[in-house]
Amino acid sequence: MHYETAVPVASGGTATVLKAWDPRLERWVALKYLKYDDPLQVERLLREAQAQSRLHHPNICEIYDVAEDERGRPYICMQYIDGPPLDEALAGTDLPTRVRLVQQVAKAIHSAHTAGIVHRDLKPGNILVETQDDGSIKPYVVDFGLARLHEAPGLTVTGEVMGTPAYMSPEQAGGRAVDALSDVYSLGAVLYHVLGGRPPFDGDANVSVLVRVLEDEPKRLRRVEPSVPPELETVTHRCLEKDKEQRYPSAAELAADLGRVLNGEPIVARPPSAIMQLKKFARRNRPLAIGFSTAMSALIVGLAVSIAGWNAATRARVRAETEAAKATQLNSFLTEILQAPDPWVDGREVKVVDLLARAAETIDESFSEQPEVAALAHHRLGYTLKSLGEYDDAKSHIERALAIAGSAGDLPSSIEIDILVDLGATLVALGELHEADTVLNEAFDRAASELEVSDPARTKSVHELAILRWEQGELEHAETLFRQCLELSTTVYGPQDEETIITAGALGNVLRQLDRLDEAEPLLERALEWNLEHNGPDHPGTAIVVNNLAFVYQKLEQHEQALDLFRDSLATRLRLHDHDSMSIIVGLNNLGLQLTMMGRHDEALAPLEEAVDIAGRIFPADDWRVSAVRGTYGRGLMAAGRHAEAEHELLASFEGQRSALGDDHWRTQTACKNLADLYQATGDGEREARYRALLPEATAQNAS
C-alpha cells in the first residue's frame, strides 16, 4: 500500500474511514476499512465497491480502487469529501439552498437507479456536503454498502431488514423486497428532515420506529415547521406515501418538482384526494392489510364511475328525489365497506377478500328497491376481486350483476355490455376459454349492433375478444380484431391516448408472432417512443414494449440487440416490481430463452431456474403458470444437453398444462411438442411418435 499520512476521520458501527495522501496521483483519498473480520461485512464492502464503481455522477462519491493492505485487510479507496454530513451542513443555510441540495441528491439517485442500483440506506449521514472554491456547497452520496444490484437479485433477501429505520420505506421496514421507489421514500424522509429539523419518525428504539414507519402516518410537515411553503409539504408527503404506487414514479420526477418549487412554477404533486384519505383511514385499521387500500380505491372509484354513467343515461327520465334515494343507498353501502370490523375474528386477521365478502352480503338487501344499483355494486365487486386474483368469486359477482341487470331492465346497453365483457375477461383468466368465447362473442355482437362507435364499451368488447383469440392461438383472427380495436380507439380516445398506444403495441406483438416483422417493428417502436415520452423508462408499459421489440430483433437474428433489450426490460421490471412476481418471471424467462438461442447455456439456465423457483413460491402447484415456466426451463435443459433433467421438467409441464387447460389449448400442445422434440433429440422414436400423435397434423409435421 502506497498511501501516506493516513489519519482517522470517521467511524461507524462496522467501518472506519481514514484520510490518506496518494503521492503517485498527488491527491487526498479516503480509505474505508472494516472494523471486524466478518465474511458478511467483507461481502458487503465488496458489493459497495462494485455498485459505486459503476456510477459516474458529479454528486456520487467516486471509487478509485479495492485492495488489501499488508496485513490482508480489504479496503476501498475512494474520493475524499472534505465536508460534514447533510444535517450538520445545513446550519445557517436558507430554504432554497436546502431544497437545491436535495434536488441534486435526487438526480444522483436517479442516475444510480438507471444503472440498476438501489441505495437502500439514504439518510443525511450518507450525504456529505463539501464547500467548493467558489463558495457554493455540493452534496455527495456515499456508502452504497446496502445497495441492491438488480442484475444480481440474490444479494437482496426478502425478510431481511437492513438500513436506518427513521429513513426506511414501509416495504423495507416490513422485510419485503425493495426497488427504486423505496429510495424515493427515503429521499422524502431526508427532505422532511432538511425542512422540518427531524425525520418523519424518530425515537430511541429502532423497533418502535419500525412499527411507526409501518403503521403511522407522519405528522404533516407544516405542523412541525409552519414556515415550510404548502407546495413543499405536498412534495414531501407524496414521497412518504405508504403505498409506493402513490409516490413519485422516479427520483427524477421528484427532482423535477423540486425544480418547479425553486422556479416558482406549479408542481405536479397534489394533496391527497378524498379516495387517498379513505385509504389512509383504512390503513390505520390494523386488520385490513396493505392490499385493502388499493382494492377499496378500485372498488369505490369504479362504483362512482358506474353510477355516474348510469345517472347520465337516465337523468332525463328519473325524478330528482329518486336519484337522491339511490345516492343515499350507495353511500350507505360504501360506509359499510369502510367501517373496520372487529380486528380479530375467530382468532385471525380479517383479509381484504373477507371484507369484500362481508360487504357483498349486504348488497341485495341494501338495494332491494334499486336492483339496477345492486347490479352495479356486484359488477364492481367482481371487477375488484378479479384484480386481486380471486377469479371464482369475481365470476360469481359478475354473473349476479348480469342476472340482475337482465331482470331489472333499467340499465343502458353500454353498462350491460360492459358487465358482459368483464365476465368474459374473468373466464379467460380462469382458463375457461370455451365459455369465454360464448360470452365475449355475445358482447361483441351486441356492442356492434346497439352501441355508437364512440362508446368505450364497444372498444372494450373488441379488445377483450382479441385477447381471447390470442390466448386461443388464433393469431390471424386476433390481428383482425386488434386492427378494428385500434381504429375504434383512435376514434374514441385519439391517436395519442394511452389506450390507443396499448392497442398498437398489442397489434405489433401479434404481427411479430406472425413473422410480419416489417409491420410489427414500426408499431412497437411507436409504442416505445410514446411510453418513453409519457411514462419514462421506469414504467411497466415501457418494459413490456421493450420486451416485445426484443423479440423482433430475435427473429431478425440480431441477437446481441435482442439480448440488450431483454436485459433492459428485466432491469426495469426489477426496479418496478417485487422480486416474487409474474412480471419478473416473464423477464427471466425471456432472457433465459434468448441466451439459449445464442448457445450460452450455462448463463441461460440460471434465470430460467430462478423463474421456476419464483413461480413455485407465488402460485399453487397445479396452476398452469407453474407448468408453463417448468416447460421453458425444460427447453433450456434440453438445449444444454441435460436430457434426463429436461424430460422431468417437460413431462411435468405437459401434464400440468393438460390438467389445467385441456388437450386442445395451444399451451398444452406446445408442451406436447416440446416432449416430442426431446425424444427426437434422444433418438427415442417410439415416445416421439406417441406425443406427435397427440398434436394437430400441421404441428406434428413441423418437427424441430
Side-chain angles (χ1 to χ4, degrees), residues 103-124:
Q103 181 194 32
Q104 290 175 291
V105 171
K107 290 179 178 178
I109 292 302
H110 180 69
S111 175
H113 292 168
T114 58
I117 295 171
V118 177
H119 191 287
R120 295 207 303 163
D121 196 19
L122 285 171
K123 57 184 177 181

Side-chain angles (χ1 to χ4, degrees), residues 282 291-301 337-338 352 355-356 384:
F292 171 86
S293 296
T294 302
M296 289 300 99
S297 177
L299 174 66
I300 295 164
V301 171
I337 295 176
L338 290 170
V352 176
L355 189 66
L356 292 176
T384 303

Side-chain angles (χ1 to χ4, degrees), residues 161 164-166 168 173 201-216:
V161 180
T164 305
M168 189 182 292
F201 303 104
D202 56 4
D204 297 329
N206 281 347
V207 173
S208 66
V209 174
L210 286 172
V211 171
R212 293 181 64 200
V213 169
L214 286 166
E215 298 184 357
D216 296 346

Side-chain angles (χ1 to χ4, degrees), residues 77-122:
C77 176
M78 65 184 79
Q79 180 183 2
Y80 176 64
I81 311 299
D82 186 12
L86 180 65
D87 50 347
E88 297 178 19
L90 294 176
T93 58
D94 58 17
L95 184 69
T97 299
R98 297 176 182 218
V99 173
R100 193 171 291 109
L101 285 172
V102 178
Q103 181 194 32
Q104 290 175 291
V105 171
K107 290 179 178 178
I109 292 302
H110 180 69
S111 175
H113 292 168
T114 58
I117 295 171
V118 177
H119 191 287
R120 295 207 303 163
D121 196 19
L122 285 171

Side-chain angles (χ1 to χ4, degrees), residues 41 65 139 152 169 174 422 466 481 531 534 546 691:
Q41 295 301 329
D65 192 16
S169 68
D422 280 330
L481 289 167
N531 273 277
H534 292 81
V546 168
Y691 286 100

